[in-house]
C-alpha cells in the first residue's frame, strides 16, 4: 500500500511520481561529524580539564548530568553552530550528541523524571548554571552551585598550547590585540566607545600563531592595553616553567606601545616589536627617505618604500631611547609613513625584515579573532553580568581550540589545512546520518553520498594516532 502522511509536503511532480517530504524519518542527525570533535577532544584532553576548573557543590546523588558532560555539550554545540542555550531544548533529544558527550544511555529512556525521558542531554535551564552561578556560591545555595575557578581556566589555554609541541621551540611570538564586542542590552560593564562608535566590551586576546592563549573580557571605558602586564606575567611565567630557554617576542599594534609594557618586557627578558603612532617628530626623522620614495613613485608609477633605522625617545612618557624603524612609503594616494619600536637588535633583524617579515605578520592574528567571533560566537555576550559573559567567551574559546586542533592534527597537509572554522563545520561536521541504538552498539550510518569520505577516514586515523600517545581516560556516565 502507498504510505501517506498527513504532514507530507508536496514539492513537485516528476512524471508519474510526486516529490514529497515529511519529518518522520526516524532518528537522524545532521551533525554526524561530531564524532571527529569527540576524537579531537580525546587527542588533546581539553574539555575534561576544562570541567576540572569548575567546583560542583551539587548533591552527587541527585544529579543526572556531570559537569564534564555539561561542558562537552555546551562546547560541542558551539563548534557545531548552535550559539544559543535555547537550541539545547531540541538538541537534548539528539542521541549522537548524547553519545559524544558521554551519556551511557543515549536514548534518554533511563531519565528519572517521566517528562525528561527521551531527552538524554541537559536543557537550557541546566546548562545555564555553568554560566550564571555567582562567584561565592556553595552547597547551601538554592539553585546554581557550579562555580568556575577563573585562574584555572585562564591557565588551561596556555597548557594546551604548550602540549601541542613535541619539544620546546627556540622562539615564539605572542600577538596581543583588543577588539570590540558590540552590545545591544544593558549589560554590566557596558560603555560607549568613541573609536568603534557603539556600546561594546573591549576583550583582550593573546595568540601564538593559531593557538589561543587568552581571551579576557573587559569593559570599553579603558585604554586598549589595560591589563597587558598582568596577562603577560601569567602567560610568560607559565611558558617559562616548561620552556625556560625559549625566546619570547611580544608583538602588537600602537595601542600597546606603553612605557609600562616596554619596561616590563625589558626587565623580564621578553623582546617586543610594537607599532608606534606617527607624529611630526617621527615623520621629520624620515623626511629624506619619504622624498626618495616619492621620487621613485613618480618615476615608476608604482608604490615605493624605503626604511630608516634610528633611535628615538618621547618628550615625556618614555624612560629611555629605543630603536625605531620607520617605513617611508609613497602610494598613489600620497605618503604613508609607518613606525615600529623594538628591543630587537639590527644585527638579528634589519629594518626592512623587521617591518615586512616580523611586524606585518601580526595581521594573521586579526584573522583568528574574526574566526572566533564570526564562526564560534565569541560575541554572544548577552547575559546581564560581566562574569557570566566572560564564561561564555571562554566556552567560545574552548570551541575554537577544539576546532583548531582538528585542523592542526587531522587536516595537516590536506587542502583544508588552512580552512576557517565555518568551512570545517560545513564540510566535515554537518553530515547527515541515521542513528540506531541497540543494547551493545550505537550505529551511525553516514550519508552514502558524502563527497569527503576519504578525507574523513584520513582524519580519523590521524586522531587515533594522536590519542594513542595520551593515557586512556574513560568518560564517566
Amino acid at each position: 500500500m502507498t504510505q501517506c502522511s498527513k504532514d507530507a509536503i508536496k514539492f513537485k511532480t516528476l512524471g508519474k511520481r510526486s516529490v514529497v517530504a515529511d519529518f518522520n524519518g526516524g532518528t537522524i542527525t545532521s551533525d554526524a561529524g561530531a564524532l571527529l570533535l569527540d576524537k579531537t577532544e580525546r587527542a588533546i584532553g581539553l574539555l575534561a580539564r576544562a570541567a576540572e576548573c569548575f567546583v560542583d557543590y551539587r548533591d552527587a546523588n541527585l544529579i543526572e548530568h556531570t559537569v564534564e558532560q555539561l561542558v562537552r555539550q555546551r562546547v560541542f554545540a558551539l563548534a557545531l553552530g548552535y550559539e544559543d542555550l535555547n537550541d539545547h531544548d531540541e538538541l537534548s533529544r539528539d542521541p549522537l550528541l548524547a553519545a559524544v558527550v558521554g551519556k551511557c544511555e543515549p536514548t534518554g529512556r533511563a531519565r528519572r523524571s517521566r517528562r525528561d525521558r527521551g531527552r538524554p542531554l541537559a536543557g537550557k535551564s541546566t546548562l545555564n548554571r555553568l554560566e550564571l552561578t555567582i562567584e561565592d556560591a556553595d552547597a547551601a545555595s538554592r539553585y546554581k552551585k557550579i562555580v568556575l575557578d577563573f585562574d584555572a581556566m585562564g591557565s588551561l589555554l596556555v597548557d594546551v598550547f604548550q602540549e601541542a609541541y613535541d619539544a620546546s621551540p627556540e622562539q615564539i611570538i605572542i600577538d596581543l590585540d583588543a577588539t570590540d564586542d558590540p552590545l545591544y542590552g544593558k549589560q554590566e560593564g557596558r560603555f560607549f566607545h568613541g573609536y568603534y562608535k557603539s556600546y561594546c566590551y573591549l576583550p583582550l586576546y593573546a595568540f601564538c600563531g593559531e593557538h589561543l592563549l587568552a581571551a579576557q573580557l573587559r569593559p570599553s571605558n579603558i585604554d586598549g592595553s589595560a591589563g597587558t602586564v598582568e596577562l603577560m606575567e601569567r602567560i610568560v611565567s607559565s611558558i617559562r616553567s616548561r620552556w625556560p630557554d625559549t625566546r619570547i617576542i611580544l608583538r602588537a599594534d600602537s595601542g600597546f606601545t606603553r612605557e609600562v609594557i616596554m619596561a616590563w618586557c625589558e626587565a623580564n627578558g621578553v623582546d617586543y616589536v610594537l607599532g608606534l603612532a606617527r607624529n611630526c617628530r617621527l615623520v621629520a626623522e624620515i623626511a629624506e627617505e619619504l622624498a626618495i620614495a616619492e621620487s621613485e613613485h613618480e618615476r615608476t608609477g608604482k608604490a615605493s618604500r624605503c626604511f630608516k633605522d634610528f633611535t628615538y625617545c618621547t618628550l615625556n612618557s618614555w624612560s629611555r631611547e629605543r630603536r625605531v624603524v620607520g617605513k617611508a612609503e609613497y602610494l598613489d594616494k600620497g605618503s604613508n609613513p609607518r613606525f615600529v619600536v623594538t628591543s630587537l637588535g639590527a644585527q638579528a633583524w634589519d629594518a626592512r625584515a623587521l617591518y615586512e617579515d616580523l611586524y606585518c605578520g601580526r595581521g594573521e592574528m586579526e584573522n583568528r579573532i574574526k574566526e572566533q567571533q564570526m564562526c564560534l560566537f565569541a560575541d554572544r555576550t548577552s547575559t546581564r553580568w560581566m562574569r557570566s559573559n566572560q564564561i561564555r567567551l571562554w566556552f567560545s574559546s574552548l570551541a575554537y581550540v577544539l576546532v583548531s586542533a582538528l585542523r592542526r592534527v587531522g587536516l595537516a597537509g590536506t587542502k583544508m589545512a588552512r580552512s576557517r572554522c565555518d568551512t570545517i563545520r560545513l564540510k566535515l561536521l554537518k553530515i547527515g546520518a541515521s542513528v540506531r541504538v541497540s543494547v551493545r552498539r550505537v550505529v551511525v550510518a553516514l550519508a552514502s553520498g558524502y563527497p569527503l569520505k576519504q578525507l574523513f577516514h584520513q582524519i580519523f586515523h590521524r586522531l587515533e594516532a594522536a590519542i594513542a600517545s595520551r593515557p586512556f581516560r574513560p568518560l564517566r556516565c
Side-chain angles (χ1 to χ4, degrees), residues 254 275-283 312 335-339:
S254 60
L276 181 59
R278 65 174 178 249
N279 58 44
C280 58
R281 289 178 59 209
L282 288 169
V283 173
Y312 173 81
S335 64
N336 181 42
R338 290 288 187 271
F339 303 90

Side-chain angles (χ1 to χ4, degrees), residues 37-38 40-42 44-54 67-77 100 153 156 160 394-395 397-399 401-402 473 475:
L37 291 177
D38 185 31
T40 304
E41 199 286 322
R42 288 184 59 193
I44 63 175
L46 173 68
L47 301 184
R49 285 180 288 173
E52 292 172 357
C53 298
F54 290 85
V67 171
E68 182 175 347
Q69 289 170 347
L70 294 175
V71 170
R72 289 169 69 90
Q73 181 180 343
R74 185 73 167 104
V75 175
F76 283 159
V100 299
M153 184 64 79
L156 174 61
V160 173
W394 270 327
F395 281 144
S397 300
L398 293 172
V401 173
L402 187 64
R473 180 184 179 276
L475 281 174

Side-chain angles (χ1 to χ4, degrees), residues 109-128:
R109 294 171 185 164
R111 293 292 300 273
R112 295 174 184 174
S113 171
R114 183 183 298 274
R115 67 179 182 180
D116 289 332
R117 287 172 191 167
R119 295 177 181 268
L121 294 170
K124 63 179 186 295
S125 298
T126 301
L127 282 169
N128 72 16

